[in-house]
Each structure stands twice: as C-alpha cells, then as structure tokens.
C-alpha cells in the first residue's frame, strides 16, 4: 500500500507563490510516476504536472513556465513550486502516484488565489 499526504496549500494573492509537498510512504519503491492533479469547483480534475522515475517532467499548458515539479527520491517526497499564481489556479491539489497497475491519491490540499 502507498499513502500520500499533501501539505503546503493556503491562501495567496495573485502573483504570489506557494510550494506544495507530497510525502509518500509504504511501497514507494514500486512507483513509476508521480504528479499533481487539481480540481477547481465545477471543473474536471486535470493533471497539472507529473514526474517519472528518470526525472522526466511534463506540465499542463496552463501552468507551464510557472509551476515546477521536483522530487527527493531519498525522502519519497514530491514538490510543486507554484509561481506567478493566478485566480484560475484556485483548486484542490491532489498528489498522485502510480506503479503501472494501481493508482494512489492523497486527500488533497486547498490552494486559493485571490485577485
């Protein structure tokens, strides 16, 4: 089993920055990909950023150039650095991991960007 716990969400003004953390525990050795999804009220959950075991990353066009995903393999922790935040970034951000067979989700952390 894999457990994911997010932290770092909060309220920030437009143009500000936040760093989200996702601490993984359990059988993290099996994880192939980790990422951050977000879901705004009334919208479908979408992938914001992902990172693979070899360090490859990809981003949604809406966050490219503003968000950076990184990881600390030794600590089984994934980060999402969010800069130049916009009100449309307001969402619950969920940490996600998969091992090729199963998908694991954190409970989410709220990010609110005020105008």
């Amino acid at each position: 089993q894999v457990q994911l716990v997010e932290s770092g969400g909060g309220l920030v003004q437009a143009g500000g920055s936040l760093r989200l953390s996702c601490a993984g525990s359990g059988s993290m050795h099996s994880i192939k990909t980790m990422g951050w999804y977000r879901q705004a009220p009334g919208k479908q959950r979408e992938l914001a950023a992902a990172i693979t075991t070899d360090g490859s990353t990809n981003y949604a066009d809406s966050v490219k150039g503003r968000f950076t995903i990184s990881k600390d393999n030794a600590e089984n922790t994934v980060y999402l650095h969010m800069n130049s935040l916009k009100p449309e970034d307001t969402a619950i951000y969920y940490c996600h991991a998969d091992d090729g067979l199963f998908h694991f989700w954190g409970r989410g952390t709220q990010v609110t960007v005020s105008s």
Side-chain angles (χ1 to χ4, degrees):
Q1 181 68 290
V2 170
Q3 294 82 42
L4 305 172
V5 180
E6 305 97 333
S7 62
L11 174 64
V12 65
Q13 292 187 0
S17 300
L18 283 174
R19 185 182 72 170
L20 306 183
S21 298
C22 173
S25 62
S27 56
M28 292 295 295
H29 63 275
S30 66
I31 297 301
K32 302 292 185 181
T33 304
M34 297 191 71
W36 290 92
Y37 286 73
R38 65 184 187 179
Q39 187 167 25
K43 293 186 177 180
Q44 201 164 17
R45 187 174 297 187
E46 65 174 356
L47 178 67
I51 187 166
T52 62
T53 53
D54 64 0
S56 298
T57 60
N58 60 79
Y59 300 90
D61 287 342
S62 58
V63 309
K64 195 171 298 182
R66 300 187 299 117
F67 290 12
T68 302
I69 187 169
S70 62
K71 63 179 179 177
D72 184 336
N73 289 328
E75 299 296 328
N76 292 320
T77 301
V78 174
Y79 304 95
L80 186 67
H81 292 79
M82 305 183 294
N83 299 313
S84 302
L85 283 162
K86 305 174 181 179
E88 50 262 46
D89 295 319
T90 296
I92 301 175
Y93 284 72
Y94 298 91
C95 186
H96 171 264
D98 80 84
D99 61 7
L101 292 174
F102 299 98
H103 298 261
F104 307 93
W105 296 90
R107 292 185 177 182
T109 185
Q110 177 70 49
V111 172
T112 302
V113 184
S114 62
S115 60

